[in-house]
Each structure stands twice: as C-alpha cells, then as structure tokens.
Amino acid sequence: MKPPAPPKKAEATLETMRKVFTLPESDDSTLAKLDREISENLVGFLRDRIVAGDIAPANLEQDFLETKIPDDPLFVAEQTEFLLTKVVSQSVHTWSPYFVGHMTSAIPYFMVPLAKIMVVLNQNLVKIETSKAFTPLERQVIGMLHRLVYGETAACDDAFYDRWTQDFHQSLGNLCSGGTVANVTALWVARNKLLSPKGDFTSISDDGLAAGLRAHGFDELVVLVSKRGHYSLRKAADLLGLGRKHLLAIPVGDDHKVDVSAMARVAREQRARGRGIVALVGIAGTTETGSVDDLNAIADLAAELGCSFHVDAAWGGPTLFSATSRRLLSGIERADSVTLDAHKQLYVPMGAGACLFRDPAALNAIETHANYIIRAGSRDIGKHTLEGSRPGMAMLLHSGLRILGRRGYELLIDLGIGRAAHFAEVIRASDDFELISEPELNILTYRYVPAAAARVLERGDTASRAEANRVLDELTESIQKRERARGKTFVSRTRFEVARHGGEVLTVLRVVLANPLTSPQILSDILDEQRGYAAELLESEGYQRQLDELSARLG
Amino acid sequence: MKPPAPPKKAEATLETMRKVFTLPESDDSTLAKLDREISENLVGFLRDRIVAGDIAPANLEQDFLETKIPDDPLFVAEQTEFLLTKVVSQSVHTWSPYFVGHMTSAIPYFMVPLAKIMVVLNQNLVKIETSKAFTPLERQVIGMLHRLVYGETAACDDAFYDRWTQDFHQSLGNLCSGGTVANVTALWVARNKLLSPKGDFTSISDDGLAAGLRAHGFDELVVLVSKRGHYSLRKAADLLGLGRKHLLAIPVGDDHKVDVSAMARVAREQRARGRGIVALVGIAGTTETGSVDDLNAIADLAAELGCSFHVDAAWGGPTLFSATSRRLLSGIERADSVTLDAHKQLYVPMGAGACLFRDPAALNAIETHANYIIRAGSRDIGKHTLEGSRPGMAMLLHSGLRILGRRGYELLIDLGIGRAAHFAEVIRASDDFELISEPELNILTYRYVPAAAARVLERGDTASRAEANRVLDELTESIQKRERARGKTFVSRTRFEVARHGGEVLTVLRVVLANPLTSPQILSDILDEQRGYAAELLESEGYQRQLDELSARLG
C-alpha cells in the first residue's frame, strides 16, 4: 500500500507570484464557480449562501482572532472556503426585501458585472494619467447630478453646463466615498469662504483658523442645523476646528422639521456675540424620520444673513426625480452646496457620495497642487477633492442614471413613498402599534404598545406615563434585538423626543422603504413577527406585570 | 410587405424596475459575455478592450458633454456598448507591465471575483447591523496590519493582540478610502491629543481649536515634515485649521531624506515662539523618490519634544515584509500612528487605505455617537472613523494577506527593489541618460541628457548650465507627454531641487516598479522608446540647436 501523499501546500515563488497576476483559477475552482453562480443567479446566491441565524457577536468574533499574517501563502480555494463559511454565510442580507431597517438596500443586478469591470480596469481618478476617459466621464456624472439639483434655475441653463461641465479649472462638485466626506467638504468650503482674505490675512488655507478669526474679529465660528442633523456634521465640526458645541442644534416641530424662526433667533444672537456663521444646514430627508426641512425658509434666512446654505440631501436628494414629491425639496436649488449619497437612493454599491456646488468656482477655496500630479492647469480632478486616490465609481453612477433613467428613479422613489404611506395607515389602524413619526418620504418610526400601556398613556398622571414609557423603551429595544438576532427580518431603532408624549425621549422602531421588492404583505408579516416577540418578551421579561401594575393604579 | 417594426425602446414600469433588482441579463447579452470574458481571460480582456492611442483630452471630452439625465431608460446592452467603445477602450491600462509611471499597478486576479462577491454582499462597515461578520473580520485585518508595524515591540506581544483586536471599546486603527483620509485621521488625532482638556477647556472636539489654543497658550500649531511630504498633508493642515504655512517643510539631504537636525532646530525655534507641535511626520517611501527618512532619529526627536510622531508609509509600509529591506524602516514601530495604503503595495483594488495607532485608546480622541447606530458601547466600527458608510474592502485585504502570505509580499517587494537597483545600473551605464535619484526602494528618477547638454553641464558656467537645464526641462516634459500620448508605455514626471546641479529645480522622469511582470527587457525598451522621442523632439522643437549653441560657446 502506498503511503498517503503529503498534504499539498501553496508555495511563494517568483513564478507563483507572477501567476497570481495573470492566470485565473481553473474553471472548476471554488472561486470560479462562485463567480458563475453570481452571474447566473444572484438572488439564489444570496439566499443560499447567507445563513440567517442567531449568533452572538462575541461568538462570531472567535473566527477572527488570529493577527499573525501567515508566512506561507494559502491556496485560493482554502481562503475562499474560509470566506464562504465564516464571512459570506455570516453577512447581512442587505438585498432582502425583509430588511427594512437601514439605508443599505438591494442594487440593480447590472451593477455587479459593471463593478467587476471597474475593478479590473482599476483606474485612479485623482489624475487623468491613471484614468483617461474616466476623468471626463466623472465630470459628466457630476454635471448630471448638478443639473438634477440646480438645472431648473435660470442660471443653470444649457449654456451653463456647456461652459462648466468639462472646464478643468473649476468643478461643479466632487464624487467621494460617501455623505460624510461630502458634508465635511461642503463645510470646509463654507468655512474657507467665510474667512476670506483680509489685510495681512492671505487665506485660511494658508494661515489657519486662528489667524482667520483674528482677521475677521470673530470669537468663534458656528454652524446651525436641526437637532435631527446627521452625526457626520459633528465630525466635521471637530475636524474643521469649530468644536462640536459650535454646531448648534436647533429645535424641531412636531413634524421633525427645523424651527426656522428658532434658527433665525439663534443666528442673530450668535452674530451679536461676535460669532461667524459658517453655514445654515437644511436637511432633505433626516436619517431618523425622513423629514425634509423648509428649505426655502432656510434659504431666505441665509440670504438675509449673507451666509452659506448647505443642504444635506444624502438620503432625500433623489426625490427630485419624482414629479409628485419633488416640491418637498423646493428651495434646494438655492443652496450653495448639496450632499447626495449615491449608495443610498441612486442604488450604486457602497461607497459613493457626491457634493455639488452651485458656484463652479467654490471648490477653488480648497485647491491643492503637487509637482508630479494635480499641477495647476492640469485636467486632474484631484485638485479639488478632499480624498486623493479614488476608484472609477463614476462608471456605475453613469450607468444607473442612464439605464434607470429619470422615469426609473421616479418609479422607485414614488414606490417607496407610497409604501411608507400605506404602512403608516396599517400601523394607525392597528390596536397594538403606535405610529411615532408620519412618513414624509419613505422612512417612518413606530412602536409596539400593548393595551395596558395604552391605558396608562391615555389616563395616567405624568409619573406613571413616564414609567410606562420606560417599560416600553425596554420592550422596544428587546423586540428590535430579538428580531435582529433571529435574522429573518430587520428593522432598526433610534431615540428622540416625541412631541405628543410631552417631548419625552422615546425608543422607537425605524423602517426605511427603499427596496422595490418590499411588498405590503412583507410589511404585515414584519408587524406579525414583532407582535410575536412582544408577546414572548412581555411575559418573559416581566414587562406585562409592570404595565399591569401601572394600569391597576389608574383605578 | 409588412412595415418595419418600430425600434424597441426600454420602458420604465414598476415591473421592469423590479426586474433589474433580481434578474441577470440573458446569457448572450453583451454584459454577461463581458463578465465571462473577464473570468476566462482577464489579461486578454485588458489587452483587447483597451485601445492605446493618441487622443487629445479635449477630443476625449466630446463624448461626455451631455448632462441631461435621459427620461426613459436605456437598454443595458446600449449602455454597455457605450462604455465599451467610449470608456473601457479609452481607459488607462494600469495592469500593463509597460506602465511604470504611477503607483497604480496590476492586482492579483483573485481580487476580481472576490470584489464581485463584496459588491453583491454590499455590506456597510459603519455598523454591525449592516456588516455582521465583516465587523470582526475588519478588526482582524487591522490587527494584522498593526502587528506588521508594531508586532516586534515588547508591548505588542500575543497578549496585546488577544486583548485589543476585538475589543470594541477601542480601535487599533481604521480602514479607509486611502492614504489621504489616513493622514488626515492621524493628524486629527494628534491635534486633539495635543490640545488636551485643561481647566475650563473640556476638549478640542467640543470646544474647538481657538479655545484650545487659548487654554494651552499656543500662538499657532505646526506640523513638521520633509519637503518631500505628500500633498495630502497640506490638505490636512487646511482642513484641521492649522493653515498650510504651518506645515513646515524641512530640507532634505542629497539622499532625499529629511535633515533631522534641521527639523530639531525648527521645532525648538517654533516652540520658543509659543507654537504647539502637533506632530513630526516621517516618510517611509516618498512619493517622488521612494526615499525613507531616518525614522529612529525622528522618533528620538519626538520623544525629546514630547510630541506625536506620525509615519506616512502609504507607499513603503509593505517593505516590512522584506527580511532584507525592513531595516530601512527601523523606528516605524516607535510611531504613534502609521499610514499604509492597501491599494498600492498590498495590491488590493482602488480605494483602500489604513491608519494604525500604537495606543488602542488613541482613536477615542475623535469618537462620535448617534442615536440609531454607533451608540456608546456598541460594536460599531463607525464610532472611530472619519468616514461613515464604507464597503467591505476588509475581505479583499484579508484575502491578499492570506493568499500571498508574508513570503509572497516579500518576494514582490524584493523584486521591485531589485528591479529598481538594476534599472539604476542601466541608466548609469548609458551615455545619454542621467540618474537623478538613487532608488532606495522601488522608485527612481532620471532624465535624458544628449551629448551637447552633457558638455555644457560639465564645463559651462553657471548661466549656461542653468540655460541647458531649462532646455532639458522642456525636453523631459515633451518626452513624457509624447510617450503618454502614444500610449504604449508610461512613466511620470515631477520637479524637485537636485543637489548635484547646485540645488536647481529640475524636471525629471519618474519610474515606480511594483508590477512583478515588468522585466529588465521592458525597462530597456522604455529607454529605447524615450531615446526615439528625444531624437524627434531635439530636431523638431529646436532643442538640439539651442544646446549646440550653448556647447559652442564653451570654446
């Protein structure tokens, strides 16, 4: 009998290293098969390869503890097997129409082979020498998005786009990795514009913030935004040296829209205290409730104050495709800058965002040069971006905009808004759920409220109402965690003050309806599943007993 | 006779919109065919689909002027056809071993199907609810990179990595879109650390830069780096409010390494003027010449001054894999933070970078929370990152590190360094090329110097030498542009002061040798091609006549 052959081991030789740069795995390798499986049946791949299941994160971590990089190479097949069993199987099914908790949704299937082409070409958009046609392509995409936002104003006519889209001395905006970089870029430009050259002070870019404050006689700089503003604005305030406490959170009304008269009051008061206003920020689709601020009112205020006006439309921007709903964003075309996320409602893969500027010269406020690329007068886009090297995501965005077209996006947007309105109806009509925020776009919040709690909230005194809400907060959080752990469906949760509960901060469930495959039936199923968890938890965690006691005290 | 059928047009209906989220194109569609073509013969796809050719950028732009988003959808096939003829064919062949001008090179073929899996899964790493196993996977990858940099220090033993890699209260670093975001993050952390809480001043994050300067009695803040520092540091200085003139460019020696005694002098002088030192920055692989600063000497100085020490190892970091060359980076393990680019010498696709911190608590200086994700105490990585939503690039990095292994990367690194040394020999041995910067890693610079110019440079007076160098600058730039336009091979160009030419700023050709398929023969071919362009240009542009006149004056 022959002894068993020694186990085969991958070897690192110059020859094998050169091969990994040129030769695909053989047709019957695991990786080649997966590649075909995705091409032939993407939905099946996701359904079969992702194992929904209740694994505690701490247990999940056990497979990822080793930090020594192996000395010798692994076979591709071995790594692929590891990824399949430990990573792919334990990833989140973001394409599932049952996952309506976050802003990451399914994407059109054609994005997948196009992304493969993008990776194969491996262009770097920082400069034309590593991107060639991708550079004018990206400028075109920025022009298209700019036109979506500003194209109905008198200034932005055909001649405007003919003049500026491909003019490499200016930029109508940036593509970037996501909304955070977009918001940071917008406030960076606004800060630098506010602290304009003055006397000895040549520019904030060169001389810095402290010198700029001195030159302009400002005590501090502030940014004003609704308290529903995205957390990336807090990062921006830190990064830009303003300080997060100078990002002033303005109260919102019952409709979660910023109180513009409060914003005006705060702005005037800040100015009287010697503070410079970097920007007023309006939100077109708050992350938590999908609400859109009164952008025209903020634009009026910004005009009166003579300060920059930025709109964070990371979520809601594509609502501009909808003939019915675009009026909600009226006033966005008066913004100096607008953030849009492409990996959200433009349905391109993670991570792609954009920041658009009304004034083609605005980005000159942050222009940077080097000796080997992005030289003055060059066509290199990197002159005007916060990031350096960037991938060719413009190709995917370009394809989405053309393959779906305005009507395609309009249908998707209208569908989501319609679904949210319908779901709100269903929640309102049910005895045991409470609608917390009315959907204006395709986001809404709600919570489960059992009969005993409803009685206390209706008839109890302040103290017992507060107590009932504490129990409901725990219940809501537990329902969300149990649902997430079971892995069949997913909604998210957040906390904010709810006007009709005396402004108390409550924990609520949050639903984002961007996947066109999420049907009314699925939404009903989700409520039923949550009812089931609620029943379990009311019993097992003693919430029912606590609520019954509160209810009994009503007499 | 039947009339011809009206042309088919794509339609936007709810049904077609739902289909694009679920159904792949039919097997014989253009896109499906391309997908298979890449899987079966990636090298052939790139060779056949990219058309090298001399198209002026202004002509290229003609295909990308339209900024109206079409109302009706395009068929996928129509868009694919457009991309093939106008974008793919006119992109840069970054995989070509003849393209040795920039830092974007070929990547191992397995990255392509893995990237497809990444796109299909479409995870968002900002939070565990949209990334599940990808979150501990990313922490593992950060641990692996951290260990590559710090793993040989006494503090960073097995127990250190067991303790911190998966501890979600801290982070050993960030993955991000690239080296620019990494450098910005590092200096952000360093700035916030310097302006620590003091009296009424609670933190720079909250109170801002101006209050921090007042609390600490600093006039301004400065960052010190060699004049070869990457331009992203200038962006960081602007963004963080320091001002670019407070990024102090320290002279370099003939070897392009920072003059550490000059750095010390400047640092002490700045401190005496009441300025706070945010960080000393060392470079491990300058972008232009691939030189590595004396990191130990900078670490000593930082220790003496008690300030942060950051190393920009975006290019050179993976040299740590090389047993022979890792000594060049000695001292990097003493840095507070280190930037590494994954889309450079870790050979993952665009755009992936990392910033590592020796102290697991360092990133707490920029921690951010929100109500719906990245809550305090959550496992969400987004608490500690500049960016928000981010893709699952960690999977590609993890695969590169394991499939190539330490030995695989070592071979690639050693190969590039060896090739550069060989190419330098060839240039030195040739009569008509001048080696400008000796390669320390795998980057070198040189220029074409015809005989007449060589004579003037050797025997001429200051004025005629300067004049000859002006002619050579033009010649070098023209050679580089002609070579780029012809599209068969590519080198880049830059400008810096050259010690052996009396510190004159000269235009030079720059070569980056990271593609393992770039052979000595290819490098010879590139020199021959450049000789050919030089001969053409000397004649057609009158450079030869100018140089002959200068030479004749020597008498």
Side-chain angles (χ1 to χ4, degrees):
Chain A
M1 211 176 90
K2 274 207 300 189
K8 261 178 82 178
K9 218 177 128 209
E11 270 183 297
T13 65
L14 269 183
E15 217 31 61
T16 58
M17 283 305 114
R18 282 200 194 111
K19 274 186 189 156
V20 301
F21 282 81
T22 48
L23 293 181
E25 286 276 89
S26 75
D27 260 13
D28 57 352
S29 73
T30 321
L31 195 52
K33 278 185 205 154
L34 283 177
D35 186 40
R36 286 199 299 274
E37 188 179 323
I38 293 172
S39 302
E40 285 159 17
N41 187 359
L42 186 152
V43 172
F45 171 87
L46 293 166
R47 185 195 53 222
D48 299 342
R49 298 291 182 177
I50 300 177
V51 179
D54 189 353
I55 297 190
N59 290 338
L60 213 52
E61 286 162 6
Q62 298 311 310
D63 292 319
F64 306 100
L65 299 178
E66 181 58 76
T67 51
K68 286 189 188 114
I69 299 166
D71 283 339
D72 290 311
L74 257 66
F75 281 117
V76 174
E78 197 176 340
Q79 170 70 1
T80 308
E81 197 53 40
F82 173 85
L83 293 177
L84 273 183
T85 54
K86 304 297 186 186
V87 181
V88 176
S89 67
Q90 298 301 332
S91 60
V92 175
H93 193 338
T94 58
W95 294 60
S96 166
Y98 292 85
F99 279 58
V100 291
H102 282 302
M103 292 172 159
T104 310
S105 135
I107 50 178
Y109 80 88
F110 61 78
M111 290 292 177
V112 179
L114 289 176
K116 184 168 158 182
I117 295 174
M118 175 187 91
V119 168
V120 162
L121 296 177
N122 206 28
Q123 306 292 290
N124 180 353
L125 269 288
V126 71
K127 55 190 180 296
I128 200 160
E129 285 181 344
T130 49
S131 62
K132 212 171 164 186
F134 274 76
T135 284
L137 173 81
E138 179 162 308
R139 295 189 70 97
Q140 181 186 21
V141 168
I142 291 168
M144 290 163 107
L145 296 177
H146 194 279
R147 196 157 191 153
L148 176 67
V149 172
Y150 296 107
E152 309 215 340
T153 60
C156 296
D157 55 6
D158 287 347
F160 176 91
Y161 291 101
D162 288 348
R163 171 73 188 79
W164 297 113
T165 304
Q166 297 293 345
D167 184 323
F168 49 87
H169 298 292
Q170 322 281 344
S171 295
L172 296 177
N174 284 170
L175 296 193
C176 57
S177 68
T180 296
V181 171
N183 277 338
V184 169
T185 304
L187 292 184
W188 183 16
V189 167
R191 184 199 67 178
N192 286 12
K193 185 177 156 197
L194 174 65
L195 297 184
S196 56
K198 197 170 179 184
D200 283 349
F201 175 68
T202 56
S203 81
I204 171 164
S205 281
D206 287 333
D207 296 352
L209 179 59
L213 293 174
R214 284 191 298 269
H216 284 265
F218 291 131
D219 169 31
E220 296 282 358
L221 300 184
V222 295
V223 174
L224 280 69
V225 66
S226 123
K227 58 198 301 179
R228 293 279 175 279
H230 191 255
Y231 66 87
S232 59
L233 299 170
R234 288 210 298 285
K235 288 190 203 176
D238 181 351
L239 198 51
L240 294 166
L242 315 179
R244 295 187 294 205
K245 79 175 189 198
H246 301 117
L247 177 75
L248 304 173
I250 309 299
V252 293
D254 296 0
D255 53 3
H256 304 273
K257 293 170 190 282
V258 70
D259 177 343
V260 182
S261 59
M263 191 180 253
R265 211 159 43 238
V266 171
R268 290 193 197 102
E269 181 190 292
Q270 290 289 317
R271 201 164 257 191
R273 286 179 61 183
R275 293 176 163 183
I277 299 174
V278 171
L280 308 184
V281 179
I283 313 174
T286 62
T287 317
E288 294 171 278
T289 60
S291 320
V292 183
D293 287 340
D294 182 345
L295 302 179
N296 267 314
I298 306 177
D300 289 343
L301 179 58
E304 183 199 318
L305 296 164
C307 71
S308 289
F309 171 35
H310 172 64
V311 173
D312 182 352
W315 182 253
T319 309
L320 290 167
F321 284 115
S322 165
T324 332
S325 299
R326 66 170 293 146
R327 60 175 173 73
L328 292 171
L329 274 65
S330 178
I332 194 172
E333 72 286 354
R334 298 168 65 191
D336 295 287
S337 53
V338 172
T339 288
L340 261 182
D341 249 334
H343 56 228
K344 294 191 169 104
Q345 297 202 84
L346 292 177
Y347 297 93
V348 309
M350 210 44 66
C355 190
L356 308 163
F357 292 86
R358 198 182 45 200
D359 174 4
L363 276 164
N364 296 356
I366 61 160
E367 191 160 318
T368 311
H369 297 292
N371 288 325
Y372 64 107
I373 54 165
I374 62 171
R375 303 174 185 97
S378 76
R379 284 179 151 76
D380 300 344
I381 291 177
K383 289 185 290 187
H384 289 141
T385 59
L386 188 160
E387 294 171 288
S389 300
R390 281 182 311 104
M393 292 294 284
M395 188 176 80
L396 305 192
L397 210 37
H398 186 264
S399 300
L401 292 171
R402 292 182 16 130
I403 296 178
L404 299 182
R406 299 181 69 97
R407 298 239 162 82
Y409 281 110
E410 178 175 42
L411 277 161
L412 293 171
I413 293 291
D414 287 349
L415 185 65
I417 293 175
R419 282 277 183 281
H422 165 81
F423 192 40
E425 256 333 302
V426 172
I427 291 169
R428 245 192 308 260
S430 73
D431 291 335
D432 47 358
F433 283 98
E434 178 186 9
L435 185 68
I436 299 289
S437 61
E438 290 283 344
E440 189 169 15
L441 301 180
N442 48 2
I443 298 177
L444 61 77
T445 58
Y446 64 105
R447 63 176 179 170
Y448 183 79
V449 182
R455 271 196 304 278
V456 179
L457 291 173
E458 200 181 324
R459 294 166 39 209
D461 56 17
T462 313
S464 49
R465 288 201 311 267
E467 223 172 311
N469 275 327
R470 287 299 71 73
V471 177
L472 289 178
D473 280 356
E474 282 185 45
L475 175 64
T476 306
E477 183 171 338
S478 305
I479 291 172
Q480 194 262 349
K481 284 183 171 170
R482 184 157 294 189
E483 185 175 348
R484 181 177 70 187
R486 296 289 159 87
K488 289 186 293 182
T489 65
F490 176 71
V491 306
S492 56
R493 68 175 205 273
T494 190
R495 283 171 65 74
F496 53 75
E497 349 66 72
V498 179
R500 51 195 286 243
H501 289 286
E504 257 196 276
V505 175
L506 303 181
T507 301
V508 298
L509 300 171
R510 166 173 166 270
V511 154
V512 182
L513 296 169
N515 186 327
L517 302 173
T518 302
S519 61
Q521 184 57 50
I522 287 175
L523 293 171
S524 272
D525 291 349
I526 289 175
L527 290 185
D528 282 342
E529 190 180 327
Q530 290 170 342
R531 279 191 183 98
Y533 298 139
E536 290 168 23
L537 291 159
L538 281 164
E539 196 54 42
S540 67
E541 305 303 306
Y543 301 136
Q544 188 64 58
R545 190 183 37 74
Q546 294 175 56
L547 292 169
D548 284 344
E549 280 171 22
L550 287 169
S551 173
R553 274 192 241 155
L554 295 173
Chain B
M1 211 175 90
K2 274 208 301 193
K8 260 178 84 176
K9 219 178 127 208
E11 269 184 297
T13 65
L14 269 184
E15 216 32 59
T16 57
M17 284 304 115
R18 282 200 195 112
K19 274 186 189 155
V20 301
F21 283 80
T22 47
L23 292 180
E25 287 275 90
S26 74
D27 260 12
D28 58 350
S29 73
T30 322
L31 195 52
K33 279 185 203 153
L34 284 177
D35 186 38
R36 285 199 298 275
E37 188 179 324
I38 293 171
S39 302
E40 285 159 16
N41 185 359
L42 187 152
V43 171
F45 171 88
L46 294 167
R47 184 194 55 223
D48 299 343
R49 298 290 182 176
I50 300 177
V51 179
D54 189 353
I55 298 189
N59 290 337
L60 212 52
E61 286 161 8
Q62 299 311 308
D63 292 319
F64 306 100
L65 299 178
E66 180 59 76
T67 51
K68 286 190 188 115
I69 300 167
D71 283 338
D72 289 310
L74 257 66
F75 281 115
V76 175
E78 198 176 341
Q79 170 71 0
T80 308
E81 198 53 39
F82 174 85
L83 293 177
L84 272 183
T85 54
K86 304 297 186 186
V87 181
V88 176
S89 69
Q90 298 302 331
S91 60
V92 175
H93 193 338
T94 58
W95 293 60
S96 166
Y98 293 85
F99 279 59
V100 291
H102 282 303
M103 292 174 159
T104 309
S105 135
I107 50 177
Y109 80 87
F110 61 78
M111 290 293 177
V112 178
L114 288 177
K116 183 168 160 183
I117 295 174
M118 176 186 91
V119 168
V120 162
L121 296 176
N122 206 27
Q123 306 292 289
N124 180 352
L125 269 288
V126 71
K127 55 189 180 296
I128 201 161
E129 286 180 345
T130 49
S131 63
K132 213 171 164 187
F134 274 77
T135 284
L137 173 82
E138 178 161 309
R139 296 189 68 98
Q140 180 186 19
V141 168
I142 291 167
M144 290 163 108
L145 297 177
H146 194 279
R147 195 157 192 153
L148 176 67
V149 172
Y150 296 106
E152 308 214 342
T153 60
C156 296
D157 56 5
D158 286 347
F160 176 90
Y161 291 101
D162 288 349
R163 171 74 188 80
W164 296 113
T165 306
Q166 296 294 344
D167 184 323
F168 49 87
H169 299 292
Q170 322 281 345
S171 295
L172 296 177
N174 284 170
L175 296 192
C176 56
S177 68
T180 297
V181 170
N183 277 339
V184 169
T185 304
L187 292 184
W188 184 16
V189 167
R191 185 200 67 180
N192 286 13
K193 186 178 156 196
L194 174 65
L195 297 183
S196 55
K198 197 170 179 183
D200 284 350
F201 175 67
T202 56
S203 81
I204 171 165
S205 282
D206 287 333
D207 297 351
L209 179 59
L213 292 174
R214 284 191 298 269
H216 285 264
F218 291 132
D219 169 31
E220 295 282 358
L221 300 184
V222 295
V223 174
L224 281 69
V225 66
S226 124
K227 59 198 299 181
R228 295 279 174 277
H230 191 256
Y231 66 87
S232 58
L233 299 170
R234 288 209 298 284
K235 289 191 201 174
D238 180 351
L239 198 50
L240 293 166
L242 315 180
R244 295 187 294 205
K245 80 174 188 199
H246 300 117
L247 177 75
L248 305 172
I250 309 298
V252 294
D254 296 0
D255 53 3
H256 303 274
K257 293 170 189 282
V258 69
D259 177 343
V260 182
S261 58
M263 191 181 252
R265 211 160 42 240
V266 172
R268 291 194 196 102
E269 181 189 295
Q270 291 289 316
R271 203 165 255 192
R273 287 178 62 183
R275 291 176 166 185
I277 300 174
V278 170
L280 308 183
V281 179
I283 313 173
T286 62
T287 316
E288 294 171 278
T289 60
S291 320
V292 183
D293 287 340
D294 182 344
L295 303 179
N296 267 314
I298 305 177
D300 289 342
L301 179 59
E304 182 199 319
L305 296 164
C307 72
S308 290
F309 171 35
H310 172 65
V311 173
D312 182 353
W315 182 253
T319 310
L320 290 167
F321 284 115
S322 165
T324 330
S325 299
R326 65 171 293 145
R327 63 178 168 71
L328 291 171
L329 274 65
S330 179
I332 195 173
E333 72 286 354
R334 298 169 64 190
D336 295 288
S337 52
V338 172
T339 287
L340 261 183
D341 250 334
H343 56 229
K344 295 191 169 104
Q345 297 202 83
L346 293 176
Y347 297 93
V348 308
M350 212 40 70
C355 189
L356 308 163
F357 292 86
R358 199 181 44 200
D359 174 4
L363 276 163
N364 296 356
I366 61 159
E367 191 160 318
T368 311
H369 296 291
N371 288 326
Y372 63 106
I373 54 163
I374 62 171
R375 304 174 186 97
S378 76
R379 283 179 153 76
D380 300 345
I381 290 177
K383 288 185 291 187
H384 290 141
T385 59
L386 189 160
E387 294 171 289
S389 298
R390 283 184 309 104
M393 293 294 284
M395 188 174 79
L396 306 192
L397 210 36
H398 186 265
S399 300
L401 292 171
R402 296 189 3 137
I403 296 178
L404 299 182
R406 298 180 70 97
R407 298 239 162 82
Y409 280 110
E410 178 176 41
L411 278 161
L412 294 170
I413 292 292
D414 287 349
L415 185 66
I417 292 176
R419 282 277 183 279
H422 165 82
F423 193 41
E425 257 332 304
V426 172
I427 292 170
R428 244 191 310 258
S430 72
D431 290 336
D432 47 357
F433 282 99
E434 178 187 11
L435 185 68
I436 300 288
S437 62
E438 290 282 344
E440 187 170 17
L441 301 180
N442 47 4
I443 298 176
L444 60 77
T445 59
Y446 64 104
R447 63 175 180 169
Y448 183 79
V449 182
R455 271 194 304 279
V456 178
L457 291 173
E458 199 181 323
R459 296 166 38 210
D461 56 15
T462 314
S464 49
R465 287 201 312 266
E467 223 172 311
N469 276 327
R470 288 298 72 74
V471 177
L472 289 179
D473 280 355
E474 282 186 46
L475 175 62
T476 306
E477 182 170 338
S478 305
I479 291 173
Q480 194 263 349
K481 284 183 171 170
R482 184 157 295 189
E483 185 175 348
R484 181 177 70 188
R486 297 288 159 88
K488 288 186 293 181
T489 64
F490 176 71
V491 306
S492 56
R493 67 173 205 274
T494 189
R495 282 171 65 76
F496 52 76
E497 350 66 70
V498 178
R500 50 195 288 243
H501 289 287
E504 257 198 274
V505 175
L506 302 181
T507 301
V508 299
L509 301 172
R510 167 174 166 269
V511 155
V512 182
L513 296 170
N515 186 328
L517 301 173
T518 302
S519 61
Q521 183 58 50
I522 288 176
L523 293 171
S524 268
D525 291 350
I526 290 176
L527 289 186
D528 282 342
E529 190 180 327
Q530 290 170 342
R531 278 188 183 101
Y533 297 138
E536 290 168 22
L537 291 159
L538 280 164
E539 196 54 44
S540 67
E541 305 304 307
Y543 300 135
Q544 188 64 56
R545 191 185 35 75
Q546 294 175 56
L547 292 170
D548 285 343
E549 279 171 23
L550 285 170
S551 172
R553 275 192 243 155
L554 293 174

